[in-house]
């Protein structure tokens, strides 16, 4: 009995592994077969195989909601935003059957820079985090993160916090979808590439967030 209790205690103490989605194929994402929009291309980059989107009609719709049932979570994405795309781009969108959603987006400037825009919505509760003065260069592989701790939503670029705000965001329903390269309703296309997405089942400490070298 004592051994069983010790084993259970160790199991409870271990961190819960995130769901890691390598974006290295158009036929399988996170173990799911996506619906392919347009003709996204598989490419080789400095961080490994990735999928490139043209900013016009390329996207992947994955029949899964990796945030279902979570009181707290963190989304990390390694992506390459390119110049010349639309001014508003929704490149990661998770939504459940009731319309609750989480998005990671960019806002491009005419001179080839971008600002991070993150968004949570559940019912009438909604919060965008966007500061157009916090700019980053296109053409550079970057880690972006959306973190929710059960009370506060915060956004990060390469492990550095940019914005934060309070929102009530109850756990999402199990049934849902995730889009890459475009919003789920197939508007606001992304020009660039995505290498991987991490869905953590907790609010990851800022010092543990990934960042580009």
């Amino acid at each position: 009995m004592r051994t069983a209790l010790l084993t259970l205690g160790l199991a409870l103490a271990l961190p819960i592994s995130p769901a890691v989605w390598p974006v290295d194929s158009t036929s399988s994402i996170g173990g799911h077969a996506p619906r392919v929009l347009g003709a996204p291309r598989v490419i080789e980059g400095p961080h490994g195989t990735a999928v490139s989107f043209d900013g016009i009609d390329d996207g992947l719709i994955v029949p899964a909601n990796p945030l279902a049932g979570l009181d707290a979570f963190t989304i990390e994405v390694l992506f390459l935003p390119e110049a010349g795309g639309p001014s508003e781009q929704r490149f990661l969108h998770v939504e459940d059957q009731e319309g609750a959603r989480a998005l990671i987006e960019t806002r491009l400037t005419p001179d080839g820079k971008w600002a991070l825009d993150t968004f949570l919505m559940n019912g009438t509760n909604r919060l965008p985090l966007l500061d157009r003065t916090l700019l980053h260069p296109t053409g550079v592989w970057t880690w972006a993160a959306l973190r929710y701790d059960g009370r506060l939503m915060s956004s990060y670029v390469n492990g550095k916090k940019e914005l934060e705000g309070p929102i009530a965001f109850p756990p999402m329903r199990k049934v849902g979808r995730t889009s890459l390269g475009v919003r789920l309703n197939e508007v606001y296309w992304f020009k660039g590439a995505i290498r991987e997405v991490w869905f953590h089942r907790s609010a990851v400490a800022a010092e543990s967030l990934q960042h580009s070298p």
Side-chain angles (χ1 to χ4, degrees):
M1 181 67 175
R2 179 180 175 81
T3 301
L5 290 174
L6 287 173
T7 301
L8 177 61
L10 287 172
L12 292 174
L14 292 174
I16 301 173
S17 298
V20 180
W21 287 8
V23 185
D24 56 5
S25 166
T26 59
S27 61
S28 179
I29 301 290
H32 306 276
R35 180 163 66 92
V36 179
L37 307 175
R41 297 180 300 112
V42 176
I43 63 171
E44 294 299 327
H47 301 280
T49 307
V51 173
S52 176
F53 304 86
D54 66 2
I56 301 172
D57 60 3
D58 288 349
L60 298 171
I61 309 296
V62 184
N65 177 10
L67 301 180
L70 300 182
D71 294 304
F73 56 84
T74 306
I75 308 171
E76 296 184 280
V77 54
L78 178 59
F79 76 114
L80 175 71
E82 296 180 358
S87 60
E88 299 185 14
Q89 304 181 42
R90 276 73 161 165
F91 66 93
L92 177 60
H93 181 178
V94 183
E95 185 168 327
D96 72 8
Q97 66 199 67
E98 301 296 330
R101 65 195 63 167
L103 291 98
I104 303 182
E105 317 172 14
T106 58
R107 297 293 184 271
L108 264 64
T109 64
D111 60 347
K113 296 179 181 178
W114 60 274
L116 181 65
D117 185 3
T118 55
F119 181 72
L120 288 180
M121 186 183 84
N122 195 322
T124 59
N125 301 327
R126 60 186 65 199
L127 179 65
L129 295 179
L130 170 63
D131 184 339
R132 294 178 184 271
T133 69
L134 299 176
L135 296 174
H136 309 277
T138 53
V140 178
W141 283 97
T142 303
W143 281 98
L146 185 165
R147 179 181 183 271
Y148 181 65
D149 67 3
R151 187 178 69 87
L152 292 174
M153 169 191 174
S154 48
S155 60
Y156 297 79
V157 173
N158 282 328
K160 181 179 179 181
K161 182 188 289 186
E162 293 204 332
L163 298 168
E164 183 176 79
I167 181 175
F169 191 78
M172 298 174 76
R173 300 294 183 89
K174 181 177 181 179
V175 177
R177 298 180 298 160
T178 301
S179 61
L180 301 172
V182 65
R183 186 172 165 167
L184 272 168
N185 61 345
E186 300 178 27
V187 295
Y188 300 111
W189 304 88
F190 169 63
K191 183 177 182 181
I194 301 175
R195 168 66 186 99
E196 57 193 81
V197 187
W198 292 51
F199 297 98
H200 299 268
R201 302 176 63 84
S202 64
V204 174
E207 59 270 19
S208 297
L209 292 172
Q210 300 177 84
H211 54 87
S212 299

